[in-house]
Amino acid sequence: MSEQRYDARAIEARWQRVWADERTWEVTNEAGGRDAVQSSYVLEMLPYPSGEPHIGHLKCYAVGDAIAHFRRRTGHRVLHPMGYDAFGLPAENHAINTGVHPRESTAVSIASFQRQFRAWGISIDWSRELATDEPEYYRWTQWIFLELYRSGLAYRKDAAVKWCPTDQTVLANEQVVDGRCERCGAEVEVRQLEQWFFRITDYAERLLRDLDEIDWPEHVKTMQRNWIGRSEGAEVSFTCEELGIVYPVFTTRPDTLFGATFFVLAPEHPDLMRLAAGTPYERDVHEYINHALTESNEERGAAERPKTGVPLGRTVTNPVNGEQLPMYVADYVLMEYGTGAIMAVPAHDERDYEFARAFDLPIHRVIADADGGDDDALPFTGDGPLVNSHKDFDGLPNREALERIVDWLQRESKGHATVSYRLRDWLISRQRYWGCPIPVVYCDGCGLVPLEADELPVQLPDIEDYAPKGRSPLAAAEDWVNTTCPVCGGRARRETDTMDTFVDSSWYFLRYCDARNDEAAWDPAVLREWMPVDQYIGGVEHAILHLMYARFFTKALADLDHLDFQEPFAALFTQGMITKDGAKMSKSRGNVVSPAAIVERYGADAARCYVLFMGPPDQDAEWSDEGVEGVYRFLSRLWRLTAETAQRLSADDADRRDWSGTLTAADLLDSAGEGPDLQLLRKTHWAIDKVSGDLRRFAFNTAIAAVMELLNDCSRLREAASAMTLAHALQNAGSLLSVFAPHLGAEVYERLTGERVWEAPWPQADPALLESDVHEIVCQVNGKVRDRVSASADADPDELKALCRSAANVRVHLEGKEIVKEVVVPGKLVNIVVR
RNA sequence: GCGGGCGUGGUGGAAUUGGUAGACACGCCGGCCUUAGGAGCCGGUGGGCGUAAGCCCUUGGAGGUUCGAGUCCUCUCGCCCGCACCA
């Protein structure tokens, strides 16, 4: 009797054993490069192993695996590897609380991830598995660091940086969201510290431009464009004559230079006290600066906050007209952007306008309304002709004047055209233990000394006390810290900061290609076969951080001749979040759905199909327990009908003979005419066509729905159709479904054909079976459906018109009316327009 | 404020190029089978009117283009995401 039940657990265990024993999903590196074989690299974002995988992982791998299977079955050699982003704070914080070494707790999590990924039946090439905390891996992370250092792309600088008081470490700009630590949510502080940076800003232009070359979702590209924040403008020099200091400012509006009426420096500007010294404002400036620096970013950044500031008691000369502009310090000017100083044009800038009103400063309009008048309220930020500027420019449309003014500044050496970016250099040092050591030492004699490649890896030592104390816990490991200088042999101390874990994940996709190479990080010839990644899959939360860093690494390494491509991920797919009770799943909310529990109860195939069936995979979707059950019922029905049909097939010798698994209309026409067999055969080929098309456009939800439709027809026609036709339909259902439900797909296929579905080519729809000889034609009168008629596929428009006019309900609606027009869409509809 | 996206039954969603709105599934209702069902099978299910045939309404709202609009255009309302005093 157990034969009659769909036993997901037994079926899944059986096939997982086959795949593990036979290493089914391993691929070798072919010497021929990617032209020789159709190679395809399908990759999901590197998981951070913490506890066990959540439902988002399941969805991500269900998507990636469907793509990987589909590509394999359509003739590609597919690289589909797995690894772990194993360094990171959660394991370290756990160590602080429990004393368990992060390496141990991470290993436990990794084992749990491995177990789950196997239980889900994901087709992974396990021979390339890696973890970023292994010395065999981070040795090469350190090597890349040194390559960047030698080319000037890694450097130390003293800067105002973001410090997370909870995590006790500095953060990159990208890791601060709304003034808070992206990881723990604590409000960040600003500290002046010397830190390690990667010069990602050198790549701003290329990171922006090359977005046009890659097949990524538009919203992700937009987010990156916003983050890079390119602005074209000019740098213009203003001079404080009294002190003889030149202040360059960046402006996107050099056309408004003649309207500048004051000048503002950021509170962090280093010259402030020097400027104010000896003026009556010295004390006020001092107080203002102190106050500004104690305010949080959030307070300062508040949009509708009234403008504040203090005069400096000095003036600068406007280079275009020699006017003396009073200088101010005000916190609406940011030190991080541009030069930390601005020329203020209140007539044409909202912020400057507010400040001018608050401080009763003059407002000089220099751009007229589009029609030349001056009726529009100030500040006027639109376009119009220049006025009150200079005889050479007055009257010119401002956009044209802008260019002429920049040319003129350039000739006069008062300024030049330039481009400014919002993107900042990537701060990569962290004052924490569980990360990749930075491979440099500080020698008493030689100063900062980078290690040589053959001295790598700098191993992370074991320590007793993980608690951060404002500096890396590594600083307390005296035996490790004290070393000798590789240059002079003298006393030296190791760098005790570790790298941001985003460094580890910025190149792992390269390592997979050549994961066991212990001579080099990779062999460029091997990379040529697989890179760039053909399809990358992951959450949109990495739209800026990981995806920008990985692109930067790829470009930098290409410039250093280690790679011969510019973009790591040719195509990107971002899957939507699965929510529960309308919110993101989280332990604190108590709305977490455990994939392990779902797989335990319904099987991996049902769990995988459900997360894909929920809706379009790039959209967020709400979890429903009833939904999984529905999919489970569908799989059960497929299994039962397969078992029943297999039995019928073996009992019926007539149907069994010459069974090849391929049927055509001709096979069935003489025996069955237009009966149920042909109907089912047509539906089968419709499903093949539908699923193939849907897979190409990542419409997994409708692909699964199509297999459901096919199965519904199988059920409906199971008595009427022959066992052979039914078997053909079910075999194809199993074959199509195997990209989503690989275990049951394999089981169904094997039962009906004796073959392995993953070795079978992807089914091809027979075009002759996709088109029916008879079409149902919709009959509309004035655009409203009034009847339906059937017509042969080759009926000409006049026949269709006649057919429709005579349809019973159409005649009712034509009664007493005059036919004005008839529109015919062959094979679809006829619309009769009447008056 | 700027940029991007989304509004379709009780619910998740489908409709690929302007051509039958609501595929598929959940839920619900009815029936069969069963000692029993949180199992299985069959049927029904956008709203309104009607015994029925059928008619009217319906894709956030208002206009428009078209023989025909969920789809295109204009305006508008609501929600979500990203950036935000970036000069």
Side-chain angles (χ1 to χ4, degrees):
Chain A
M1 220 45 197
S2 67
E3 260 298 281
Q4 295 309 306
R5 229 188 80 243
Y6 164 50
D7 185 351
R9 203 181 302 188
I11 292 170
E12 291 175 4
R14 179 188 166 204
W15 292 105
Q16 281 160 21
R17 171 168 295 256
V18 170
W19 298 329
D21 288 351
E22 302 187 5
R23 304 170 164 218
T24 309
W25 314 118
E26 290 186 15
V27 281
T28 53
N29 292 332
E30 304 285 315
R34 75 183 305 162
D35 296 334
V37 214
Q38 176 95 292
S39 302
S40 221
Y41 192 173
V42 177
L43 183 65
E44 300 90 356
M45 287 180 185
L46 189 68
Y48 176 77
S50 168
E52 42 176 62
H54 54 74
I55 207 89
H57 287 111
L58 179 66
K59 182 168 174 180
C60 181
Y61 295 106
V63 168
D65 211 33
I67 296 168
H69 277 303
F70 181 55
R71 291 195 177 208
R72 283 191 199 99
R73 303 267 317 270
T74 51
H76 298 237
R77 299 180 70 240
V78 172
L79 173 57
H80 191 217
M82 179 58 73
Y84 313 94
D85 191 12
F87 277 133
L89 274 180
E92 185 170 346
N93 290 338
H94 182 256
I96 293 167
N97 295 330
T98 63
V100 177
H101 196 289
R103 190 181 300 114
E104 288 170 33
S105 58
T106 301
V108 170
S109 288
I110 287 178
S112 142
F113 271 58
Q114 286 167 331
R115 248 193 329 274
Q116 284 291 303
F117 291 153
R118 288 189 190 271
W120 296 350
I122 309 294
S123 61
I124 292 161
D125 177 351
W126 289 103
S127 73
R128 298 165 186 260
E129 192 180 18
L130 57 81
T132 58
D133 67 335
E134 295 163 343
E136 297 77 27
Y137 182 87
Y138 71 67
R139 169 185 180 183
W140 302 113
T141 307
Q142 291 172 340
W143 173 78
I144 293 170
F145 175 92
L146 292 172
E147 287 293 295
L148 296 180
Y149 179 78
R150 295 209 166 85
S151 65
L153 289 172
Y155 68 98
R156 275 174 78 75
K157 107 180 145 180
D158 188 61
V161 297
K162 309 287 167 50
W163 170 269
C164 172
T166 303
D167 287 342
Q168 293 270 304
T169 181
V170 297
L171 300 171
N173 277 35
E174 291 80 5
Q175 289 153 28
V176 178
V177 177
D178 292 334
R180 291 174 179 278
C181 171
E182 173 249 357
R183 226 195 55 73
C184 72
E187 198 162 295
V188 303
E189 298 162 6
V190 175
R191 291 195 176 181
Q192 193 71 28
L193 292 170
E194 185 172 307
Q195 294 293 325
W196 283 100
F197 291 85
F198 284 161
R199 214 178 289 280
I200 191 171
T201 51
D202 274 12
Y203 288 81
E205 191 61 38
R206 284 163 63 188
L207 287 168
L208 184 68
R209 177 175 33 102
D210 289 352
L211 286 173
D212 297 337
E213 311 295 318
I214 48 183
D215 179 16
W216 284 23
E218 205 46 52
H219 67 279
V220 175
K221 292 193 194 184
T222 304
M223 281 164 73
Q224 293 216 349
R225 286 191 190 104
N226 286 346
W227 190 262
I228 295 167
R230 182 184 199 274
S231 311
E232 279 185 27
E235 200 167 280
V236 186
S237 296
F238 288 69
T239 309
C240 176
E241 317 279 357
E242 294 155 285
L243 298 178
I245 312 174
V246 177
Y247 288 103
V249 300
F250 175 75
T251 176
T252 55
R253 296 294 306 276
D255 52 325
T256 63
L257 260 165
F258 292 91
T261 57
F262 57 103
F263 192 90
V264 190
L265 298 175
E268 294 84 2
H269 201 286
D271 289 356
L272 290 174
M273 287 323 295
R274 185 172 157 206
L275 284 161
T279 73
Y281 305 102
E282 189 169 355
R283 203 191 167 80
D284 292 349
V285 170
H286 189 75
E287 276 174 24
Y288 186 80
I289 296 172
N290 282 343
H291 180 69
L293 297 185
T294 60
E295 280 196 301
S296 73
N297 292 15
E298 265 188 321
E299 287 171 306
R300 254 186 83 173
E304 293 310 319
R305 144 186 246 240
K307 294 280 173 287
T308 61
V310 176
L312 292 173
R314 305 281 181 184
T315 60
V316 287
T317 309
N318 186 342
V320 298
N321 55 15
E323 272 179 28
Q324 292 302 300
L325 309 179
M327 297 178 85
Y328 284 80
V329 53
D331 66 5
Y332 80 94
V333 175
L334 309 175
M335 194 60 217
E336 308 96 85
Y337 187 77
T339 59
I342 62 157
M343 65 163 194
V345 185
H348 305 290
D349 181 281
E350 284 176 29
R351 296 150 301 173
D352 297 344
Y353 182 82
E354 271 181 56
F355 191 87
R357 293 297 295 257
F359 288 79
D360 209 17
L361 291 158
I363 298 170
H364 289 165
R365 177 163 197 161
V366 291
I367 295 177
D369 300 346
D371 59 11
D374 60 358
D375 301 333
D376 284 0
L378 293 179
F380 174 71
T381 53
D383 290 334
L386 253 64
V387 292
N388 306 321
S389 295
H390 184 276
K391 61 176 168 45
D392 292 350
F393 308 116
D394 279 342
L396 288 176
N398 67 307
R399 294 288 149 193
E400 193 184 327
L402 189 153
E403 289 174 26
R404 301 266 285 268
I405 291 173
V406 172
D407 287 346
W408 177 65
L409 287 168
Q410 212 139 355
R411 280 198 305 277
E412 301 276 319
S413 300
K414 290 170 174 171
H416 57 272
T418 187
V419 175
S420 185
Y421 301 91
R422 209 185 71 101
L423 183 69
R424 309 259 61 88
D425 273 345
W426 174 14
L427 197 174
I428 60 121
S429 41
R430 297 289 181 273
Q431 290 70 51
R432 297 297 303 242
Y433 168 70
W434 190 232
C436 176
I438 295 174
V440 305
V441 301
Y442 300 94
C443 169
D444 293 347
C446 317
L448 194 163
V449 179
L451 299 182
E452 293 299 321
D454 59 14
E455 295 169 293
L456 303 180
V458 176
Q459 295 248 12
L460 191 61
D462 287 345
I463 58 171
E464 297 294 317
D465 180 7
Y466 305 103
K469 299 166 183 72
R471 56 178 195 161
S472 168
L474 282 175
E478 287 293 327
D479 290 353
W480 179 82
V481 171
N482 292 313
T483 183
T484 52
C485 171
V487 175
C488 71
R491 271 181 34 178
R493 293 179 64 79
R494 292 191 188 278
E495 168 67 65
T496 58
D497 282 358
T498 53
M499 291 186 227
D500 181 2
T501 55
F502 279 103
V503 177
D504 309 324
S505 56
S506 291
W507 73 280
Y508 76 101
F509 43 89
L510 303 172
R511 184 64 182 172
Y512 278 141
C513 299
D514 204 6
R516 299 292 172 257
N517 190 337
D518 52 15
E519 304 290 312
W522 57 78
D523 174 352
V526 170
L527 253 56
R528 223 162 282 138
E529 177 177 6
W530 299 112
M531 288 298 296
V533 173
D534 295 276
Q535 185 63 58
Y536 201 37
I537 301 121
V540 73
E541 65 272 19
H542 292 109
I544 293 170
L545 293 151
H546 163 61
L547 289 170
M548 182 93 81
Y549 296 149
R551 294 183 63 221
F552 159 61
F553 259 48
T554 302
K555 290 177 193 303
L557 289 166
D559 286 355
L560 295 168
D561 282 333
H562 296 303
L563 305 176
D564 53 13
F565 47 90
Q566 292 292 321
E567 285 290 336
F569 314 122
L572 172 69
F573 184 88
T574 53
Q575 98 258 11
M577 204 175 36
I578 296 180
T579 58
K580 179 83 197 292
D581 309 323
K584 185 177 178 168
M585 291 184 194
S586 73
K587 284 197 193 105
S588 56
R589 236 183 239 104
N591 62 345
V592 177
V593 175
S594 152
I598 299 296
V599 169
E600 177 72 20
R601 185 157 178 191
Y602 302 103
D605 285 338
R608 293 175 57 167
C609 285
Y610 177 59
V611 295
L612 297 179
F613 183 66
M614 291 171 89
D618 57 333
Q619 277 174 35
D620 291 352
E622 169 76 10
W623 179 267
S624 146
D625 289 331
E626 292 77 17
V628 212
E629 284 194 43
V631 172
Y632 175 78
R633 282 201 288 268
F634 156 65
L635 298 181
S636 301
R637 277 202 306 277
L638 173 61
W639 187 88
R640 273 200 311 272
L641 201 51
T642 298
E644 184 187 306
T645 304
Q647 218 156 29
R648 241 175 93 185
L649 213 53
S650 57
D652 187 343
D653 277 345
D655 276 335
R656 218 178 159 194
R657 60 158 167 59
D658 295 334
W659 166 250
S660 69
T662 310
L663 285 178
T664 64
D667 293 333
L668 296 171
L669 265 177
D670 27 70
S671 61
E674 274 286 355
D677 280 291
L678 194 53
Q679 236 181 76
L680 189 52
L681 187 61
R682 285 218 159 94
K683 188 70 177 185
T684 305
H685 283 255
W686 167 84
I688 293 169
D689 185 59
K690 173 77 176 154
V691 172
S692 306
D694 284 355
L695 280 172
R696 276 188 279 273
R697 60 188 185 104
F698 305 129
F700 308 119
N701 53 334
T702 51
I704 292 169
V707 182
M708 287 175 169
E709 282 196 55
L710 175 59
L711 182 67
N712 287 346
D713 274 20
C714 288
S715 289
R716 194 167 53 81
L717 298 169
R718 85 170 110 191
E719 305 290 333
S722 72
M724 186 163 81
T725 314
L726 203 54
H728 175 75
L730 290 166
Q731 166 217 320
N732 276 291
S735 179
L736 297 173
L737 200 66
S738 72
V739 302
F740 309 117
H743 315 87
L744 182 61
E747 184 80 11
V748 165
Y749 199 81
E750 192 207 44
R751 272 195 107 137
L752 296 170
T753 68
E755 288 164 17
R756 298 173 149 189
V757 71
W758 64 87
E759 288 167 359
W762 188 248
Q764 297 297 308
D766 179 349
L769 288 165
L770 293 177
E771 272 309 316
S772 168
D773 305 341
V774 180
H775 289 143
E776 188 184 56
I777 304 295
V778 169
C779 307
Q780 296 183 334
V781 178
N782 285 348
K784 285 190 157 72
V785 180
R786 294 305 180 188
D787 216 331
R788 284 151 227 265
V789 294
S790 50
S792 72
D794 53 12
D796 65 42
D798 286 333
E799 285 175 70
L800 291 176
K801 284 181 198 169
L803 218 49
C804 279
R805 273 197 298 252
S806 60
N809 197 39
V810 171
R811 296 230 297 258
V812 174
H813 288 272
L814 294 181
E815 195 78 35
K817 300 284 175 62
E818 181 196 345
I819 295 177
V820 180
K821 188 175 177 180
E822 284 166 307
V823 181
V824 181
V825 181
K828 286 244 162 153
L829 65 76
V830 175
N831 186 15
I832 303 170
V833 185
V834 298
R835 198 160 40 203

